[in-house]
Amino acid sequence: MSHPDRFLLAGVMGWPIMHSRSPKLHNYWLERYGLVGAYVPLAIPASGLEAALRALPALGFSGCNLTIPHKEAALRIVDEVSPLAQRIGAVNCVVVREDGSLEGRNYDAFGFTASLRERAPDLRFDAGPAVVIGAGGASRAILAGLIDEGVPEIRLINRSPERAQALAAEFGGPVRALPWEERGQALHGAAILVNTTSQGMVGEAPLDLALEALPVDALVVDIVYVPLETPLLASARTRGNRTVDGLGMLLHQGRPAFEAWFGVDPQVTPELRAMIEATL
Ligand SMILES: NC(=O)c1ccc[n+]([C@@H]2O[C@H](COP(=O)([O-])OP(=O)(O)OC[C@H]3O[C@@H](n4cnc5c(N)ncnc54)[C@H](OP(=O)(O)O)[C@@H]3O)[C@@H](O)[C@H]2O)c1
């Protein structure tokens, strides 16, 4: 799609923001699909979020992504929140509509499940229980994604048990909170294991989880992507489990956002992945 009279604009608001890989991702796609425009990092402190979001239509932006610390605050600022973003409790994408109003969406759950589909095309989400470690912001999107894909049982485990219990009560359905001390045994019979904590990230300790009880045909997923192979994924790979790193989630959540802003459904290709990997 070409817009001869318009320079396309989108960006990512966060504080800090310069670590974000989203500008590289979206600018790659703008060029790849021959669109004239730019995706820029926007350093916006919490106190400036509302004014910055309200300025988007006047500046000609198609929308923006939101990252730390804005994802929850934006829920209360935008004019309409999609049902999924409401359920997740966070907005990671804002779309400027024709009339200048703002719609808040969340594509993290899509990014997560699309990444699993790409890396494990034969995966059946209804094949068995999933174990989700962590009950923070990212965990909410993962839970929504797994529930909507029909995972029959989700064992949710968090260091601070009250957060897991609160999430299990909120999401309901297949989600059951289990104590942190039972995380090893909880892996019995699991088809999918997901780490949604920050453990294993560069500068953090590895996730403290013994994998002995995990079936070797289970898929092990880490949403941390720096490093690409966390200690959890390395242990899982060594014992024969298939693994999925966190980079695919980041890349795939960008697709529906790019399409909503610019009308093109962009592809996640090996070339794109290698380009972003080189920046990690
Ligand atoms: N791949 C992607 O696209 C993507 C997207 C979003 C996030 N992420 C990554 O996901 C991770 C979590 O992000 P978030 O936004 O959910 O963070 P968050 O809301 O701050 O939640 C952090 C989670 O980590 C747990 N945790 C922290 N330190 C721990 C420790 N020492 N032992 C056990 N658990 C510990 C917390 O447990 P407590 O409740 O007990 O503190 C909580 O469950 C980050 O590394 C982030 O970079 C990746």
Side-chain angles (χ1 to χ4, degrees), residues 68 71 108 134-139 158-160 163 180 196-199 201 207 223-225 246-247 249-250:
I68 292 170
K71 287 186 177 190
D108 282 334
S139 177
N158 194 52
R159 176 184 60 174
S160 312
R163 287 184 89 184
W180 180 246
T196 76
T197 76
S198 47
Q199 297 296 277
M201 214 170 124
L207 180 67
I223 68 162
V224 167
Y225 58 88
L247 183 56
M249 177 177 170
L250 176 75

Side-chain angles (χ1 to χ4, degrees), residues 147-171:
I147 292 169
D148 291 351
E149 292 294 343
V151 173
E153 178 189 345
I154 301 175
R155 303 168 186 164
L156 178 63
I157 300 164
N158 194 52
R159 176 184 60 174
S160 312
E162 63 284 357
R163 287 184 89 184
Q165 285 154 7
L167 271 195
E170 187 182 329
F171 279 84

Side-chain angles (χ1 to χ4, degrees), residues 119-223:
R119 309 299 276 190
D122 59 336
L123 174 71
R124 288 194 36 217
F125 284 93
D126 61 358
V131 176
V132 174
I133 313 283
S139 177
R140 301 180 64 94
I142 307 296
L143 292 177
L146 291 174
I147 292 169
D148 291 351
E149 292 294 343
V151 173
E153 178 189 345
I154 301 175
R155 303 168 186 164
L156 178 63
I157 300 164
N158 194 52
R159 176 184 60 174
S160 312
E162 63 284 357
R163 287 184 89 184
Q165 285 154 7
L167 271 195
E170 187 182 329
F171 279 84
V175 185
R176 197 157 54 95
L178 294 177
W180 180 246
E181 297 68 35
E182 290 176 21
R183 61 196 181 284
Q185 301 99 284
L187 301 178
H188 276 290
I192 305 175
L193 164 65
V194 191
N195 173 44
T196 76
T197 76
S198 47
Q199 297 296 277
M201 214 170 124
V202 64
E204 300 281 344
L207 180 67
D208 179 14
L209 178 64
L211 296 181
E212 279 75 19
L214 184 71
V216 285
D217 59 356
L219 186 68
V220 180
V221 188
D222 206 325
I223 68 162

Side-chain angles (χ1 to χ4, degrees), residues 261-277:
W261 300 324
F262 306 134
V264 173
D265 176 14
Q267 296 307 297
V268 171
T269 58
E271 181 189 76
L272 167 62
R273 197 180 155 88
M275 192 266 293
I276 301 289
E277 261 187 55

